[in-house]
Amino acid sequence: MSRNSKIAVFKRDVNSVLNNAQVYDRYIDRFAKGTDAGFYRLVPQLVVVVNNEDELRSTLKAAYANAVPVTFKAGGTSLSGQTITNSVLIEIGPEFNRLEILDNGQRIKVQPGARGGFVNNQLARFGYKVGPSPASINAAKIGGIVANNASGASYGIVTNSYNTVEAMRIVMADGTVLVTNDESSRAQFRQSHHALLLELAAIRQQILTNGGIHDKIRSKYALKNTTGYGMNSLVDFEDPIDILMHLMFGSEGTLGFISEVTFRTIKEHPHKTCSLIFLPDIREAARCIIPLRECSVSAAELMDRNALKAVEDVDGLPAFLKELPDGAAALLVETAAETAAELEKQQKEIEDKLAAIQTIYPISFTNNKKDYATYWKVRKGLFTSAAATRPIGTTCIIEDVAFPGEVLDEALPALQLLLNKHHYKGSVMWGHLLDGNIHFLVMPDFDQDWQMDNYKLFMHELADLVVNQFNGSLKAEHGTGRNMAPFVEFEWGKEVYGLMKRLKKGIDPTGILNPGVLINEDAEIYTKNIKALPQVHPLIDTCIECGFCESSCPSLDLTLTPRQRISVYRALNTGEAIGSKKECQSVAKAFRLKGEESCATDGLCAVNCPVGINTGKLIKELRFESKSNLADASASFVAKHYGRFNGAARIALNTVGGIAKILPDAVMESGAMLIHKGSRRTIPLWNRSMPLGAPKVDVSAGNAGADKVVYFPACINRMMGNDAGTHDKEALTAVTKKLLNRANYNVIYPENLTNLCCGMAFDSKGFPKQGMMKLKELEKQLLKASDNGRYPVLCDMSPCLLRMKELMDKRLSLYEPVEFTLKYLKSRLNFQPQNETVMVHATCSSIKMGMDEQLEELARMCAKEVIRPQKTGCCGWAGDKGFSLPELNKSALKYLKDEVPENAVAGYSTSRTCEIGLTLHSGLSYQSVLYLVERATCNPMV
């Protein structure tokens, strides 16, 4: 039977046990989901999303029965080609992410779909964190972190996954589940897989009786090493089941599926400091490592001169970076302690130990939290930042090696010389130097024929330099993948490589688990299926598809992520990996919904992206390009008569609200859906949290002679009032005015208020000209009302305020509700925290303005307990998408109700439209945080 036939039978079997929505066979989905952070491209023939262990077992059993190769994918941040396939891709779904914190944070049990950063956020309450700390931790999922034995900056091999594991649930290729800390499971496994355990014991015995192999394994794992299988398992443990569990670390999905892992956590010290130490060259940086290993140092991160050039324009970094001499390097050194006194002692010790090292500037540690966060954000995003400097259209290849500490001062200059020899002079070098772990980029242009031959020669010379000259490891933490599979035997030798093949054969006898990864007989597999990163649009050309953007995307589990939008858009514009013309047309048609219409354009992807790529801006441009002349003329007409349309909308909302009082909700919902679908989504869909029309704004003056403030009620708040179920019925505009008067402010409203709008509604729909026209109209009136910026301006919607801040005259002092309250009302009003539990939701705009923590601060001034959901980011309402594409809002908020405690009484935010969706999916009534402020400040400060 052909592979296509086998996959067809497999698909039938899987569809019989899974929801059809979990099995993807359309090209756009296969292409998008088949994308990872590496530099290879394969398109799976089928993608299956599994949300729990039972679904995974059923899928594996079907694959095993039909001899269909499968590859596992978690967060897709792998760099070496280990999560791509041209067969079946099994993706860890959004529900496969449960965790359980044990022993007050000293241990944690976690499923493979939980992102590492989220896990650490949960542990932070107890003062702990997981041991591995890859730079991609906020995007990477636990399954991938374990399967690649990722380590990262802190503590290296001491607290990586391998050394902090306590127990594991493993699903074997045949669907058998092994629970390593359950004696009955172990006993059953000894019976069902007796031959396998005998083989593992035999391989261990062969190693123990061969002194050369045994010593080689011991010495190799004194360094970070993920080249090939974790052979240290066979010398560190005696019981074959314990050996099998530890073999899973770094196995890259080729031996089994890790459905749950229990870690011992490590202490997260409350006191931290770091120093950015500048050195004249990379050799001097290497000389720091041996003395630093004698200190209490949690990280020492190298950045060479090219790496520093890649980030020298980042806000918060020292301006003198641009003035550093050629060849200079930097070390980001961190130390942490339980007390401030201990920290100061450790800091002094580091300074003393490095006294003999030549530095460009004196060593100085920072106590500034903002600087600390900036340095580490830059360091963790360095790969992406460096890759963004590559010539557009070139390939971005990252290598990952390790050297013993005592040879670093020779090995690093030798590596630089090798890079220069092969015309990679612009290569960027950085890494976890405390462990001798070095990453570097090469950026070949494979459109030039000689470059592939040059790359092949470079790789062979690199292997010789690392293994033979300096006794290092060819892969330290990024995994072997396809990238280094042909060189595993070179590093380990024929005998050990033979044992690795025996391991693979014994554990996965039919070879269905991720074939070609880690063990591959094709000596040139590392040069095949190279992913193109073509020049298609300046907004996204620097993207390397790392996936850092994905965790914050509201359409993540509905259609496409920002990375996937970019990947598909590139393919559509170049024809890369898309077959027939008919198939290309099909992808283009599907992209209109999955790529364009369902994008919230919230811009949070830019916050997570180390180089600030805002995929939403690309989507807005595509929306503009698709608009007809008639649509453009209609938008201009609405913009010119905006006050009338706003008034008509208020009437329509009140009319619908009146009907809703008469008809049952079920009748309203079914009727509204018919009308909505019949209009091809142009008529907004009614929902149970639909607001009534807002009353007209009372623009009468008050508190004459008092300090003045300009209040601009956003057009949404002038249009939409409260919904029928809202506890506080008073209009937001009235509440805001009451607050301002209470604080002894004289409120000024801009002239022609009914017609004013910031223009965001037009811009987000693809009408930037009309959007800018409305923005300029508003700017003119605000300048007049504020006496050219003399008085502060309050806007009651955060999204509108962000747009105003970004594009308006800088003379204007513009504030959204939270910042204005903390700056201008906090000292004028008497805050009395209410004895209640409330929820808060930081809008995307609040997060981009850095106001999310301030929202919590303000809420705590007003209520005894404040909860900000950990699993909920952007609400996905996206202007009016909640009315036209409610699936986006529903998907984005699918965890919200579970995170609302029973004693919560209300929710608060700073965007009326977001509040509609939050109310709809939480079971709570959400309103502006100004309502909470008003209730908590009933009496003015005496």
Side-chain angles (χ1 to χ4, degrees), residues 284-331:
E284 199 70 9
R287 289 184 59 223
C288 295
I289 297 310
I290 298 301
L292 282 175
R293 287 179 178 176
E294 299 172 2
C295 305
S296 297
V297 172
S298 49
E301 298 293 287
L302 171 73
M303 290 173 272
D304 76 351
R305 186 68 185 94
N306 287 337
L308 294 171
K309 285 179 180 178
V311 298
E312 62 187 13
D313 291 322
V314 173
D315 289 342
L317 288 186
F320 60 71
L321 255 64
K322 297 180 180 181
E323 301 169 6
L324 290 172
D326 290 342
L331 278 181

Short mmCIF file of all heavy atoms in Angstrom, two decimals, residues 284-331:
data_model
loop_
_atom_site.label_atom_id
_atom_site.label_comp_id
_atom_site.label_asym_id
_atom_site.label_seq_id
_atom_site.Cartn_x
_atom_site.Cartn_y
_atom_site.Cartn_z
N GLU A 284 38.88 38.06 25.77
CA GLU A 284 38.84 38.56 27.14
C GLU A 284 37.52 38.18 27.81
O GLU A 284 37.49 37.90 29.02
CB GLU A 284 39.03 40.08 27.14
CG GLU A 284 39.45 40.66 28.48
CD GLU A 284 40.87 40.28 28.88
OE1 GLU A 284 41.60 39.70 28.04
OE2 GLU A 284 41.25 40.57 30.03
N ALA A 285 36.45 38.16 27.03
CA ALA A 285 35.17 37.71 27.58
C ALA A 285 35.25 36.26 28.03
O ALA A 285 34.75 35.90 29.11
CB ALA A 285 34.06 37.89 26.53
N ALA A 286 35.90 35.44 27.24
CA ALA A 286 36.05 34.02 27.58
C ALA A 286 36.87 33.83 28.85
O ALA A 286 36.62 32.90 29.63
CB ALA A 286 36.69 33.27 26.42
N ARG A 287 37.83 34.71 29.07
CA ARG A 287 38.66 34.60 30.26
C ARG A 287 37.89 34.86 31.55
O ARG A 287 38.34 34.52 32.64
CB ARG A 287 39.84 35.59 30.16
CG ARG A 287 40.89 35.22 29.13
CD ARG A 287 42.06 36.20 29.19
NE ARG A 287 42.68 36.19 30.51
CZ ARG A 287 43.07 37.29 31.16
NH1 ARG A 287 42.89 38.48 30.61
NH2 ARG A 287 43.62 37.21 32.35
N CYS A 288 36.71 35.44 31.45
CA CYS A 288 35.89 35.72 32.63
C CYS A 288 35.25 34.46 33.21
O CYS A 288 34.87 34.43 34.40
CB CYS A 288 34.76 36.70 32.28
SG CYS A 288 35.30 38.35 31.79
N ILE A 289 35.12 33.43 32.41
CA ILE A 289 34.25 32.31 32.79
C ILE A 289 34.79 31.50 33.96
O ILE A 289 34.03 31.17 34.89
CB ILE A 289 33.97 31.43 31.57
CG1 ILE A 289 33.21 32.24 30.52
CG2 ILE A 289 33.19 30.19 31.97
CD1 ILE A 289 31.99 32.99 31.04
N ILE A 290 36.03 31.15 33.95
CA ILE A 290 36.57 30.34 35.05
C ILE A 290 36.42 31.07 36.38
O ILE A 290 35.91 30.47 37.35
CB ILE A 290 38.03 29.95 34.79
CG1 ILE A 290 38.13 29.09 33.50
CG2 ILE A 290 38.61 29.20 35.98
CD1 ILE A 290 37.32 27.83 33.54
N PRO A 291 36.81 32.35 36.51
CA PRO A 291 36.57 33.03 37.79
C PRO A 291 35.09 33.19 38.13
O PRO A 291 34.71 33.11 39.30
CB PRO A 291 37.26 34.40 37.61
CG PRO A 291 37.53 34.55 36.17
CD PRO A 291 37.65 33.18 35.62
N LEU A 292 34.24 33.38 37.12
CA LEU A 292 32.81 33.53 37.40
C LEU A 292 32.21 32.23 37.93
O LEU A 292 31.26 32.25 38.73
CB LEU A 292 32.05 33.97 36.14
CG LEU A 292 32.17 35.45 35.77
CD1 LEU A 292 31.48 35.72 34.44
CD2 LEU A 292 31.60 36.35 36.86
N ARG A 293 32.75 31.10 37.50
CA ARG A 293 32.25 29.82 38.00
C ARG A 293 32.55 29.62 39.48
O ARG A 293 31.96 28.75 40.12
CB ARG A 293 32.85 28.67 37.18
CG ARG A 293 32.25 28.56 35.78
CD ARG A 293 32.88 27.43 34.98
NE ARG A 293 32.27 27.30 33.65
CZ ARG A 293 32.66 26.45 32.72
NH1 ARG A 293 33.70 25.64 32.97
NH2 ARG A 293 32.05 26.39 31.56
N GLU A 294 33.44 30.42 40.01
CA GLU A 294 33.76 30.34 41.43
C GLU A 294 32.85 31.25 42.26
O GLU A 294 32.97 31.28 43.50
CB GLU A 294 35.23 30.74 41.65
CG GLU A 294 36.22 29.83 40.92
CD GLU A 294 37.65 30.37 40.98
OE1 GLU A 294 37.85 31.43 41.62
OE2 GLU A 294 38.54 29.73 40.40
N CYS A 295 31.96 31.98 41.59
CA CYS A 295 31.06 32.93 42.26
C CYS A 295 29.62 32.40 42.22
O CYS A 295 29.30 31.43 41.54
CB CYS A 295 31.12 34.29 41.58
SG CYS A 295 32.76 35.00 41.45
N SER A 296 28.76 33.08 42.95
CA SER A 296 27.32 32.77 42.91
C SER A 296 26.70 33.51 41.73
O SER A 296 26.14 34.60 41.87
CB SER A 296 26.65 33.18 44.22
OG SER A 296 27.17 32.45 45.30
N VAL A 297 26.85 32.93 40.57
CA VAL A 297 26.39 33.54 39.32
C VAL A 297 25.33 32.64 38.70
O VAL A 297 25.53 31.44 38.56
CB VAL A 297 27.56 33.74 38.33
CG1 VAL A 297 27.05 34.20 36.98
CG2 VAL A 297 28.54 34.74 38.90
N SER A 298 24.19 33.22 38.36
CA SER A 298 23.12 32.43 37.74
C SER A 298 23.15 32.49 36.22
O SER A 298 22.51 31.66 35.57
CB SER A 298 21.76 32.90 38.25
OG SER A 298 21.63 34.30 38.17
N ALA A 299 23.87 33.43 35.66
CA ALA A 299 23.98 33.52 34.20
C ALA A 299 25.14 34.42 33.82
O ALA A 299 25.45 35.38 34.53
CB ALA A 299 22.69 34.05 33.58
N ALA A 300 25.77 34.09 32.70
CA ALA A 300 26.80 34.96 32.11
C ALA A 300 26.62 34.84 30.60
O ALA A 300 27.09 33.88 29.98
CB ALA A 300 28.19 34.54 32.54
N GLU A 301 25.95 35.80 30.02
CA GLU A 301 25.51 35.74 28.63
C GLU A 301 26.42 36.57 27.73
O GLU A 301 26.59 37.78 27.93
CB GLU A 301 24.08 36.24 28.51
CG GLU A 301 23.09 35.41 29.29
CD GLU A 301 22.95 34.02 28.72
OE1 GLU A 301 22.33 33.87 27.65
OE2 GLU A 301 23.49 33.08 29.33
N LEU A 302 26.97 35.92 26.73
CA LEU A 302 27.89 36.57 25.79
C LEU A 302 27.13 37.25 24.66
O LEU A 302 26.13 36.73 24.16
CB LEU A 302 28.83 35.53 25.18
CG LEU A 302 29.71 36.01 24.02
CD1 LEU A 302 30.82 36.93 24.54
CD2 LEU A 302 30.30 34.84 23.26
N MET A 303 27.60 38.43 24.25
CA MET A 303 27.13 39.10 23.04
C MET A 303 28.34 39.69 22.34
O MET A 303 29.05 40.52 22.93
CB MET A 303 26.12 40.21 23.38
CG MET A 303 24.79 39.70 23.88
SD MET A 303 23.68 41.01 24.48
CE MET A 303 24.21 41.08 26.20
N ASP A 304 28.62 39.23 21.12
CA ASP A 304 29.78 39.78 20.41
C ASP A 304 29.42 41.13 19.79
O ASP A 304 28.28 41.62 19.92
CB ASP A 304 30.33 38.78 19.39
CG ASP A 304 29.50 38.68 18.12
OD1 ASP A 304 28.39 39.24 18.06
OD2 ASP A 304 29.96 38.01 17.17
N ARG A 305 30.37 41.74 19.10
CA ARG A 305 30.15 43.09 18.57
C ARG A 305 28.99 43.14 17.58
O ARG A 305 28.19 44.08 17.58
CB ARG A 305 31.43 43.61 17.90
CG ARG A 305 31.31 45.09 17.44
CD ARG A 305 31.22 46.01 18.64
NE ARG A 305 30.99 47.41 18.31
CZ ARG A 305 29.78 47.97 18.27
NH1 ARG A 305 28.69 47.26 18.55
NH2 ARG A 305 29.64 49.25 17.99
N ASN A 306 28.88 42.11 16.73
CA ASN A 306 27.78 42.10 15.77
C ASN A 306 26.43 41.94 16.47
O ASN A 306 25.42 42.51 16.03
CB ASN A 306 27.98 40.97 14.76
CG ASN A 306 29.08 41.28 13.77
OD1 ASN A 306 29.41 42.44 13.54
ND2 ASN A 306 29.68 40.25 13.19
N ALA A 307 26.42 41.18 17.55
CA ALA A 307 25.18 41.03 18.32
C ALA A 307 24.78 42.37 18.94
O ALA A 307 23.60 42.75 18.94
CB ALA A 307 25.37 39.99 19.41
N LEU A 308 25.75 43.09 19.46
CA LEU A 308 25.47 44.40 20.06
C LEU A 308 24.97 45.40 19.01
O LEU A 308 24.10 46.22 19.30
CB LEU A 308 26.72 44.93 20.76
CG LEU A 308 27.17 44.12 21.99
CD1 LEU A 308 28.54 44.60 22.47
CD2 LEU A 308 26.16 44.22 23.11
N LYS A 309 25.53 45.30 17.80
CA LYS A 309 25.05 46.18 16.72
C LYS A 309 23.59 45.91 16.41
O LYS A 309 22.83 46.82 16.07
CB LYS A 309 25.90 45.98 15.47
CG LYS A 309 27.28 46.61 15.54
CD LYS A 309 28.05 46.35 14.26
CE LYS A 309 29.45 46.97 14.32
NZ LYS A 309 30.24 46.68 13.11
N ALA A 310 23.18 44.63 16.53
CA ALA A 310 21.80 44.25 16.19
C ALA A 310 20.79 44.84 17.16
O ALA A 310 19.60 44.98 16.81
CB ALA A 310 21.67 42.73 16.17
N VAL A 311 21.24 45.21 18.37
CA VAL A 311 20.28 45.70 19.38
C VAL A 311 20.62 47.10 19.87
O VAL A 311 20.00 47.60 20.81
CB VAL A 311 20.24 44.73 20.59
CG1 VAL A 311 19.76 43.36 20.15
CG2 VAL A 311 21.61 44.62 21.27
N GLU A 312 21.57 47.79 19.25
CA GLU A 312 22.05 49.05 19.80
C GLU A 312 21.01 50.17 19.78
O GLU A 312 21.14 51.16 20.50
CB GLU A 312 23.32 49.51 19.07
CG GLU A 312 23.13 49.78 17.60
CD GLU A 312 24.45 50.08 16.89
OE1 GLU A 312 25.53 49.84 17.47
OE2 GLU A 312 24.39 50.56 15.74
N ASP A 313 19.95 50.01 18.97
CA ASP A 313 18.91 51.04 18.92
C ASP A 313 17.73 50.77 19.85
O ASP A 313 16.76 51.53 19.86
CB ASP A 313 18.39 51.18 17.48
CG ASP A 313 19.44 51.80 16.55
OD1 ASP A 313 20.15 52.70 17.01
OD2 ASP A 313 19.53 51.36 15.40
N VAL A 314 17.81 49.70 20.61
CA VAL A 314 16.71 49.36 21.52
C VAL A 314 16.64 50.38 22.66
O VAL A 314 17.66 50.72 23.27
CB VAL A 314 16.90 47.94 22.10
CG1 VAL A 314 15.85 47.65 23.18
CG2 VAL A 314 16.80 46.90 20.99
N ASP A 315 15.43 50.87 22.93
CA ASP A 315 15.24 51.82 24.03
C ASP A 315 15.69 51.20 25.35
O ASP A 315 15.34 50.06 25.66
CB ASP A 315 13.76 52.22 24.15
CG ASP A 315 13.31 53.12 23.00
OD1 ASP A 315 14.18 53.70 22.33
OD2 ASP A 315 12.09 53.22 22.78
N GLY A 316 16.44 51.97 26.11
CA GLY A 316 16.88 51.50 27.41
C GLY A 316 18.29 50.98 27.45
O GLY A 316 18.87 50.83 28.53
N LEU A 317 18.88 50.70 26.29
CA LEU A 317 20.27 50.25 26.26
C LEU A 317 21.20 51.46 26.21
O LEU A 317 20.83 52.52 25.68
CB LEU A 317 20.53 49.34 25.06
CG LEU A 317 19.89 47.95 25.13
CD1 LEU A 317 20.33 47.11 23.93
CD2 LEU A 317 20.26 47.22 26.42
N PRO A 318 22.40 51.32 26.76
CA PRO A 318 23.32 52.47 26.79
C PRO A 318 23.61 53.02 25.40
O PRO A 318 23.81 52.27 24.44
CB PRO A 318 24.59 51.87 27.42
CG PRO A 318 24.13 50.68 28.18
CD PRO A 318 22.97 50.13 27.40
N ALA A 319 23.63 54.33 25.30
CA ALA A 319 23.87 54.99 24.00
C ALA A 319 25.27 54.70 23.48
O ALA A 319 25.50 54.70 22.27
CB ALA A 319 23.66 56.50 24.15
N PHE A 320 26.22 54.42 24.40
CA PHE A 320 27.61 54.24 23.96
C PHE A 320 27.83 52.91 23.24
O PHE A 320 28.94 52.65 22.78
CB PHE A 320 28.58 54.37 25.14
CG PHE A 320 28.37 53.38 26.26
CD1 PHE A 320 28.68 52.03 26.11
CD2 PHE A 320 27.88 53.82 27.48
CE1 PHE A 320 28.49 51.13 27.14
CE2 PHE A 320 27.70 52.92 28.53
CZ PHE A 320 28.00 51.57 28.36
N LEU A 321 26.79 52.08 23.13
CA LEU A 321 26.94 50.83 22.38
C LEU A 321 27.42 51.10 20.96
O LEU A 321 28.23 50.34 20.40
CB LEU A 321 25.61 50.07 22.32
CG LEU A 321 25.51 48.83 23.24
CD1 LEU A 321 25.60 49.25 24.69
CD2 LEU A 321 24.21 48.08 22.98
N LYS A 322 26.95 52.20 20.37
CA LYS A 322 27.31 52.52 19.00
C LYS A 322 28.78 52.95 18.88
O LYS A 322 29.34 52.97 17.79
CB LYS A 322 26.41 53.63 18.47
CG LYS A 322 24.94 53.23 18.39
CD LYS A 322 24.07 54.36 17.86
CE LYS A 322 22.61 53.93 17.79
NZ LYS A 322 21.73 55.00 17.27
N GLU A 323 29.37 53.31 20.02
CA GLU A 323 30.75 53.81 20.01
C GLU A 323 31.78 52.73 20.37
O GLU A 323 32.98 52.99 20.37
CB GLU A 323 30.87 54.97 20.99
CG GLU A 323 29.94 56.13 20.68
CD GLU A 323 29.88 57.15 21.80
OE1 GLU A 323 30.66 57.00 22.77
OE2 GLU A 323 29.07 58.09 21.72
N LEU A 324 31.31 51.53 20.66
CA LEU A 324 32.23 50.46 21.04
C LEU A 324 33.15 50.13 19.87
O LEU A 324 32.74 50.15 18.71
CB LEU A 324 31.46 49.22 21.46
CG LEU A 324 30.69 49.30 22.78
CD1 LEU A 324 29.83 48.05 22.96
CD2 LEU A 324 31.65 49.46 23.95
N PRO A 325 34.40 49.78 20.16
CA PRO A 325 35.34 49.45 19.08
C PRO A 325 34.99 48.13 18.40
O PRO A 325 34.31 47.29 18.98
CB PRO A 325 36.68 49.35 19.81
CG PRO A 325 36.32 49.02 21.22
CD PRO A 325 35.04 49.73 21.48
N ASP A 326 35.45 47.95 17.17
CA ASP A 326 35.25 46.68 16.48
C ASP A 326 35.90 45.57 17.29
O ASP A 326 36.99 45.74 17.86
CB ASP A 326 35.88 46.73 15.09
CG ASP A 326 35.11 47.65 14.16
OD1 ASP A 326 33.94 47.96 14.48
OD2 ASP A 326 35.68 48.07 13.14
N GLY A 327 35.24 44.45 17.33
CA GLY A 327 35.81 43.32 18.06
C GLY A 327 35.40 43.27 19.51
O GLY A 327 35.66 42.27 20.21
N ALA A 328 34.77 44.31 20.02
CA ALA A 328 34.36 44.33 21.43
C ALA A 328 33.29 43.28 21.69
O ALA A 328 32.64 42.76 20.77
CB ALA A 328 33.84 45.71 21.81
N ALA A 329 33.11 42.95 22.96
CA ALA A 329 32.09 41.98 23.35
C ALA A 329 31.49 42.42 24.68
O ALA A 329 32.02 43.30 25.35
CB ALA A 329 32.70 40.59 23.46
N ALA A 330 30.38 41.80 25.04
CA ALA A 330 29.74 42.11 26.32
C ALA A 330 29.31 40.82 26.99
O ALA A 330 29.01 39.81 26.33
CB ALA A 330 28.53 43.01 26.11
N LEU A 331 29.31 40.86 28.32
CA LEU A 331 28.77 39.77 29.13
C LEU A 331 27.65 40.34 30.00
O LEU A 331 27.85 41.35 30.69
CB LEU A 331 29.84 39.16 30.04
CG LEU A 331 30.79 38.12 29.47
CD1 LEU A 331 31.74 37.65 30.55
CD2 LEU A 331 30.03 36.94 28.88
#
